[in-house]
């Protein structure tokens, strides 16, 4: 069978599309008439040409953007969960952590399955207003034993243009987090799910743009402050992680490497490691080459003092970011910790990321600080009367 991303299949599809168009033009005068056979002929020619052209365009776009790498990825029939590999500086692997499937029954009560609230965050220092976002509060947030406990927080970012709703409906972050908590793979954690876009629909690449929106400051300063004041979350870097796919993955890594006092762990699913100006971004750097370089994550690993952060990079052997990921592995130095998930086949799509999220959450669970009661006591040590749950704007 032809490879889904191979040149032969694209050539055949384009030839068939051109042939279908030419055949339609040649047959159209012969299909004139008012009878049902003429109507059926015209309809078949029209639909056949449209389908052939759409198939050719779809194959060309898929090969360029890497949405699906194999027929199994496209049909949803291939590939299991990913596996995490921890690396030493100079690229030596330390260990491999497998992923087990977790099954659980979820009740509708918040103290059994948690709760999702819609919010909108306004930055106190930047004045920026984030796009509509969602907060997932785990079941423990509502349980008497955790009544006064503060929880770790995970910022989850979509790609660009992306949709915060898809983080719930397609990538199933709340459901996967609940399974990981129930399996003891990660501590009870509050999720904040949102788009990386806060300035209209501009792709800011999560940067503090000279003379423009200060998006990095919004996510690394305003968002943690807003969450700590609104919800019972720990206001500490080791209790915060940033996670994202594509553009969101680049942002997550950048937050950890550039602002380790804000996020101590980061997970990138199919993320890239540098950015440039394009029609969706406008001028990101204000004509300053140094600013572009400082937002190049590979350059930072090679040239700046290493930060005490933990990074997880997810890729596939046939994905565009795979060569750059290998360079990231070779470049990092202690005390930075770097791990990877490498699938045999995948692509820039939701199915690939759903295979990577469960093992990524298990990896993160070993790095996030657990919930704490006032005075530093562990969960379960506080009063048994739960205060009202903070509301959402």
């Amino acid at each position: 069978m032809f490879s889904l991303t191979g040149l032969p299949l694209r050539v055949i599809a384009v030839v068939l599309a051109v042939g279908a168009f030419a055949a339609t033009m040649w047959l159209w005068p012969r299909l004139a008439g008012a009878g049902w056979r003429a109507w059926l002929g015209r309809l078949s020619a029209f639909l056949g040409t449209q389908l052939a052209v759409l198939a050719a365009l779809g194959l060309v776009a898929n090969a360029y953007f890497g949405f699906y790498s194999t027929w199994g990825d496209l049909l949803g029939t291939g590939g299991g969960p990913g596996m995490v590999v921890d690396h030493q500086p100079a690229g030596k692997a330390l260990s491999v952590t497998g992923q087990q499937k977790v099954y659980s029954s979820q009740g509708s009560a918040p103290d059994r399955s948690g709760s999702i609230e819609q919010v909108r965050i306004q930055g106190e220092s930047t004045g920026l207003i984030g796009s509509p976002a969602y907060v997932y509060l785990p079941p423990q947030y509502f349980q008497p034993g955790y009544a006064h406990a503060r929880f770790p927080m995970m910022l989850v970012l979509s790609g660009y243009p992306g949709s915060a709703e898809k983080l719930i409906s397609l990538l199933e972050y709340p459901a996967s987090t609940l399974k990981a908590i129930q399996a003891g793979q990660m501590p009870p954690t509050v999720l904040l799910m949102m788009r990386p876009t806060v300035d209209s629909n501009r792709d800011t690449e999560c940067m503090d743009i000279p003379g423009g929106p200060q998006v990095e400051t919004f996510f690394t300063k305003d968002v943690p402050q807003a969450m700590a004041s609104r919800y019972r979350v720990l206001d500490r870097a080791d209790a915060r992680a940033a996670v994202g796919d594509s553009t969101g993955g680049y942002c997550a890594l950048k937050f950890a490497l550039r602002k380790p006092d804000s996020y101590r762990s980061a997970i990138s699913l199919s993320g890239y490691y540098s950015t440039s100006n394009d029609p969706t971004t406008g001028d990101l750097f204000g004509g300053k080459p140094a600013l572009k370089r400082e937002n190049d994550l590979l350059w930072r690993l090679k040239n700046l003092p290493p930060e005490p952060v933990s990074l997880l990079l997810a890729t596939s052997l046939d994905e565009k970011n795979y060569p750059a990921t290998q360079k990231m592995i070779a470049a990092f130095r202690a005390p930075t910790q770097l791990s990877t998930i490498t699938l045999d086949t995948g692509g820039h799509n939701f199915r690939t990321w759903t295979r990577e999220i469960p093992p990524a959450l298990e990896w993160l669970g070993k790095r996030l600080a657990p919930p704490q009661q006032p005075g530093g006591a562990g969960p379960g040590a506080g009063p048994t009367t739960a205060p009202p749950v903070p509301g959402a704007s």
Side-chain angles (χ1 to χ4, degrees), residues 103-288:
Y103 299 91
S104 63
S105 59
Q106 298 181 23
S108 57
D111 62 352
R112 295 184 59 193
S113 58
S115 175
I116 296 176
E117 300 181 353
Q118 186 173 12
V119 300
R120 194 158 187 146
I121 295 177
Q122 180 169 357
E124 184 175 347
S125 68
T126 63
L128 295 176
I129 300 177
S131 56
Y134 297 89
V135 172
Y136 171 69
L137 303 172
Q140 290 77 8
Y141 197 94
F142 305 97
Q143 295 172 1
Y146 291 81
H148 293 277
R150 287 189 169 266
F151 294 81
M153 183 195 101
M154 181 167 70
L155 170 66
V156 185
L157 296 175
S158 69
Y160 175 85
S163 165
E165 292 86 350
K166 296 291 193 299
L167 298 171
I168 301 171
S169 60
L170 291 181
L171 292 181
E172 300 182 341
Y173 271 100
S176 296
T177 299
L178 179 60
K179 287 183 179 180
I181 293 170
Q182 292 173 333
Q185 296 171 345
M186 68 181 302
T189 303
V190 172
L191 308 186
L192 172 61
M193 297 165 283
M194 59 191 309
R195 302 172 64 205
T197 302
V198 296
D199 179 44
S200 181
N201 201 38
R202 181 182 181 182
D203 180 12
T204 61
E205 298 291 321
C206 297
M207 280 191 53
D208 283 352
I209 300 175
Q214 305 297 287
V215 182
E216 183 178 50
T217 299
F218 173 81
F219 280 110
T220 58
K221 181 179 180 181
D222 290 345
V223 165
Q225 287 180 351
M227 288 296 292
S229 64
R230 190 77 168 177
Y231 295 95
R232 300 196 319 269
V233 297
L234 289 165
D235 192 12
R236 290 168 26 200
D238 64 339
R240 287 193 293 261
V243 181
D245 60 77
S246 190
T247 299
Y250 167 70
C251 293
L253 295 178
K254 180 161 64 173
F255 295 160
L257 287 172
R258 286 176 54 85
K259 302 293 178 66
D261 290 338
S262 295
Y263 298 93
R264 198 58 55 84
S265 301
I267 298 173
S268 170
L269 311 179
S270 301
Y272 42 89
Y273 309 113
S274 63
T275 189
S276 300
N277 294 332
D278 64 37
T280 68
T281 66
D283 184 8
L284 294 173
F285 312 107
K288 301 177 180 178

Side-chain angles (χ1 to χ4, degrees), residues 328-346:
M328 293 283 286
I329 295 171
F332 87 97
R333 294 162 289 155
T336 300
Q337 298 179 1
L338 189 144
S339 305
T340 57
I341 296 175
T342 305
L343 303 179
D344 290 338
T345 62

Side-chain angles (χ1 to χ4, degrees), residues 70-93:
T70 67
W71 293 103
D73 292 330
L74 176 64
L75 300 175
T77 59
M83 301 180 71
V84 175
V85 177
D86 300 325
H87 296 270
Q88 284 183 337
K92 182 179 179 182

